[in-house]
Amino acid sequence: MASRLVVERVEAGYGAVRVLHGVSMEVREGETVALLGTNGNGKSTLIKCIMGIVAPQAGAIYLEVDGARIDLVRKSTEEIVNLLLGAFRREARAAIDANLAFCFECFPVLLARRRQLAGSMSGGEQQMLALARALMSSPRMLLVDEPSVGLAPILVSRVIGKIRELKEQRQLTVLMAEQNFNQATKIADRGYIIVHGKIEFEGRSAQELRENELVKKYYLGV
Ligand SMILES: Nc1ncnc2c1ncn2[C@@H]1O[C@H](COP(=O)(O)OP(=O)(O)OP(=O)(O)O)[C@@H](O)[C@H]1O
Ligand SMILES: [Mg+2]
């Protein structure tokens, strides 16, 4: 099934403060797309708009599935989650054991802590748990907001590696907001750089992102 997530000229913010200024981007089926930007540039706000947590003041956000357009703006977060999961997938039920085994293999610490309440886990453990929970439902599309935050470097590499594995094994589609440029470009097929709520650069490959002047300016300090 061919599908695509499209964001068109989205304006959004909080109260009188405008954070996103005409943001357009898309994620096509099977791609891993990185949304790169440093602190406060609007990455999480864009993810929240897609998820129905922040309402855009203008613009469109929709899924295109087999040529049919499904608007996400004004849908509840719950509805959007179901749509992104590839709603009502029976496969997820059949795959519970396999998914669980995969999650424990990714994050052995979750196996050791399986009787512990999520709220009492460390920040990094909760981060792993959040990703594991998302994977349990055999999603069609994964939106991740800074998977590297709060994780030790070795775990960042592991999480990034596992996301790549999912893409390769299950053709998972991924939109990943990341500040960690080096990790993100290890697995991204392509990506966008957001600066002050505007997409300032669209890289058609990880290579193009790495070679971009903005990246050199903001990340590498040259
Ligand atoms: N609930 C809110 N109310 C008011 N302003 C907000 C709110 N959430 C975010 N902002 C502001 O919107 C701007 C963009 O924030 P956002 O969280 O989207 O950035 P980000 O790119 O995800 O940054 P980070 O890498 O630090 O997570 C910031 O200036 C932030 O202070
Ligand atoms: Mg953020």
Side-chain angles (χ1 to χ4, degrees):
M1 182 183 296
S3 57
R4 180 166 88 101
L5 169 68
V6 182
V7 173
E8 262 173 22
R9 296 187 294 278
V10 162
E11 306 272 331
Y14 306 92
V17 182
R18 187 64 59 93
V19 172
L20 299 181
H21 308 274
V23 169
S24 297
M25 54 157 290
E26 65 168 7
V27 185
R28 298 182 288 264
E29 183 150 15
E31 283 187 320
T32 294
V33 173
L35 177 64
L36 298 163
T38 51
N39 289 128
N41 281 295
K43 302 182 297 297
S44 296
T45 303
L46 180 57
I47 298 271
K48 285 176 188 162
C49 285
I50 296 170
M51 294 311 300
I53 297 165
V54 168
Q57 282 137 349
I61 302 174
Y62 57 91
L63 276 177
E64 212 176 63
V65 181
D66 284 340
R69 173 173 163 152
I70 307 167
D71 278 294
L72 299 187
V73 175
R74 278 180 288 282
K75 281 202 167 40
S76 70
T77 299
E78 193 185 354
E79 276 177 284
I80 295 168
V81 167
N82 280 333
L83 287 164
L84 294 178
L85 286 175
F88 326 119
R89 295 188 76 177
R90 294 230 169 77
E91 298 114 87
R93 258 173 270 161
I96 286 174
D97 290 343
N99 284 344
L100 195 61
F102 182 83
C103 288
F104 285 149
E105 182 217 315
C106 289
F107 309 115
V109 66
L110 296 180
L111 181 61
R113 300 194 166 267
R114 68 192 180 284
R115 310 226 174 274
Q116 188 173 337
L117 290 177
S120 66
M121 288 182 165
S122 80
E125 288 163 357
Q126 290 190 27
Q127 186 86 337
M128 292 182 246
L129 182 63
L131 204 56
R133 270 157 96 174
L135 297 178
M136 283 306 293
S137 49
S138 301
R140 171 181 286 164
M141 183 180 283
L142 189 63
L143 298 188
V144 265
D145 193 355
E146 303 223 40
S148 71
V149 161
L151 293 182
I154 184 161
L155 285 175
V156 173
S157 298
R158 188 184 302 163
V159 168
I160 296 287
K162 287 294 168 189
I163 293 175
R164 188 212 319 254
E165 224 174 284
L166 285 168
K167 170 199 156 73
E168 285 165 2
Q169 290 176 1
R170 307 190 194 177
Q171 290 77 50
L172 186 68
T173 304
V174 182
L175 173 61
M176 180 174 55
E178 253 303 340
Q179 164 130 229
N180 189 328
F181 177 80
N182 287 323
Q183 290 294 344
T185 53
K186 271 189 200 163
I187 61 165
D189 295 307
R190 58 185 191 87
Y192 300 86
I193 299 177
I194 185 166
V195 182
H196 300 319
K198 287 190 183 140
I199 302 289
E200 289 290 353
F201 179 71
E202 179 179 351
R204 286 164 299 174
S205 65
Q207 178 79 4
E208 266 192 28
L209 285 170
R210 272 186 233 110
E211 286 168 357
N212 182 257
E213 292 302 316
L214 281 172
V215 166
K216 292 183 187 157
K217 183 168 155 203
Y218 287 104
Y219 287 93
L220 308 172
V222 290

